[in-house]
Amino acid sequence: TANTGAATLNVNGLGAIAIKKDVSVALDTGDILASQIVEVVYDGTNFQMLNQRPLRYDTGQLSLPAAGATTTVAHGLGKVPTVIHGVLLLPSGTEGGWTADQEMNIFNTWHSGGGIGIGVSADATNLFITRISTTLLGLSTTGASFNITEASWRVKVRAFIL
């Protein structure tokens, strides 16, 4: 199971010894995930957790949500990500100067005309990919906006705990 705050380890009859991160900091809830293998070293006082974050989750390529809809994806990180990075991806072909496998960053308020049309957010369990508008605007490689052909593009979100 995942830890629910400070944790201890009892090895070779030492008794319950605290596991610390960053030398002297007690573990927070979710620092050790269920089934995670944790590497520690005993420093004479505490066990030091060696394999700490960053944790990362990648949705892979997903279809764009329908207008006004939200796609929810469980991230499994155990807490709210500290960084969320969303991109639109053109898997094949070309459009607006973009070519296959190039990624266009998603900013929730990117374009002065009201946003690219997609926003990303998260809680401790899920990523939320929300389609804000009917028309999806992209920014071409020349800086001009264009309407995205929905069937041609995918969305990908990466979440990190640093």
Side-chain angles (χ1 to χ4, degrees):
T1 62
N3 75 303
T4 55
T8 60
L9 182 62
N10 188 345
V11 177
N12 294 334
L14 287 172
I17 305 292
I19 301 172
K20 301 286 185 172
K21 61 183 181 180
D22 302 323
V23 181
S24 61
V25 179
L27 299 183
D28 293 317
T29 297
D31 277 342
I32 301 174
L33 303 177
S35 301
Q36 178 182 356
I37 296 173
V38 176
E39 188 175 4
V40 297
V41 65
Y42 184 59
D43 67 6
T45 305
N46 298 300
F47 283 106
Q48 296 295 327
M49 187 170 161
L50 301 178
N51 57 333
Q52 297 178 50
R53 314 241 184 258
L55 292 177
R56 173 188 170 143
Y57 178 80
D58 189 323
T59 63
Q61 294 182 24
L62 303 172
S63 296
L64 300 174
T70 297
T71 298
T72 302
V73 181
H75 57 64
L77 295 174
K79 52 175 54 173
V80 177
T82 51
V83 176
I84 304 169
H85 179 232
V87 297
L88 291 180
L89 176 73
L90 186 63
S92 62
T94 62
E95 185 171 79
W98 295 88
T99 58
D101 293 326
Q102 284 188 297
E103 296 180 350
M104 182 188 313
N105 289 320
I106 296 172
F107 299 101
N108 291 341
T109 56
W110 181 12
H111 191 273
S112 61
I116 190 171
I118 294 182
V120 294
S121 61
D123 64 15
T125 307
N126 297 303
L127 296 170
F128 305 101
I129 305 162
T130 303
R131 175 80 172 270
I132 300 166
S133 63
T134 304
T135 303
L136 294 176
L137 294 177
L139 191 60
S140 75
T141 54
T142 63
S145 62
F146 68 99
N147 289 340
I148 288 174
T149 305
E150 294 180 42
S152 300
W153 292 78
R154 301 291 177 266
V155 64
K156 183 194 291 191
V157 178
R158 298 173 186 102
F160 304 87
I161 296 178
L162 304 178

